[in-house]
Amino acid sequence: FIMDLHRNPSFARYLLDKITDVQIALVDILLGEVGDHVVMVQIEDDLGSQAGPLISYALYLEYIEPYHKKLCDFIHSRTSAKIMIHSCGAMEGFVPDLIGAGIDVLNPVQPRAKGMDSKKLKERYGDRICFHGGVDTQEVLPGGTTREVEEEVRERIKGFAHNGGYILAPS
């Protein structure tokens, strides 16, 4: 797909149109069933790897962001529920555009991915987005001591929880 963004953009747009239409149809069914009982709708779109973004910011803005916005606008038109995006990896640079597209909550916030420092993310975006996750699942939770896990949890709370806007959870 990433190659299609460069080599076959008409196909990439066609595919994105179809995927977004299917997502909207599924969300429409879901929200028709649960109504106002739902408090959060999760969408997924991994944008980062451990070391950096999977695509350039220019490609995101041209190809992906319009579909995020279309889906978020639809969800927000049907419910007061918050929208959480699951997007792994080093994707800090996308956060302002995700907020602009209508994302309310960012998950999983991988602390070991490049640029995903809790304090810096909170300082830059914490007044506009809620963070969900952050507790390291790559090293600390699977291999850390009880003390290391406790320190990791304290570090995430210290970095993210000031003035609210944080849901403590594993990354």
Side-chain angles (χ1 to χ4, degrees), residues 54-158:
L54 293 173
I55 61 171
S56 71
Y57 299 115
L59 283 175
Y60 172 78
L61 290 174
E62 182 176 352
Y63 289 97
I64 310 300
E65 191 272 343
Y67 296 98
H68 280 163
K69 181 152 180 40
K70 182 178 179 180
L71 180 59
C72 289
D73 285 350
F74 177 79
I75 294 168
H76 283 305
S77 77
R78 293 285 316 276
T79 181
S80 61
K82 301 298 182 189
I83 301 173
M84 177 169 70
I85 190 167
H86 172 92
S87 185
C88 290
M91 41 76 63
E92 184 270 334
F94 298 113
V95 174
D97 299 302
L98 292 170
I99 294 167
I103 300 296
D104 302 298
V105 182
L106 178 63
N107 162 275
V109 195
Q110 289 180 261
R112 295 191 181 277
K114 184 178 180 183
M116 299 302 286
D117 178 83
S118 305
K119 288 181 183 179
K120 289 180 183 174
L121 288 168
K122 181 68 174 186
E123 287 171 7
R124 290 179 186 150
Y125 313 112
D127 61 336
R128 297 177 285 155
I129 197 164
C130 175
F131 297 99
H132 177 277
V135 178
D136 177 48
T137 59
Q138 292 175 297
E139 293 182 20
V140 177
L141 285 182
T145 65
T146 300
R147 180 182 166 105
E148 289 168 331
V149 171
E150 290 171 350
E151 288 173 7
E152 173 71 9
V153 168
R154 281 190 198 94
E155 183 66 25
R156 295 308 144 225
I157 292 171
K158 183 180 172 186

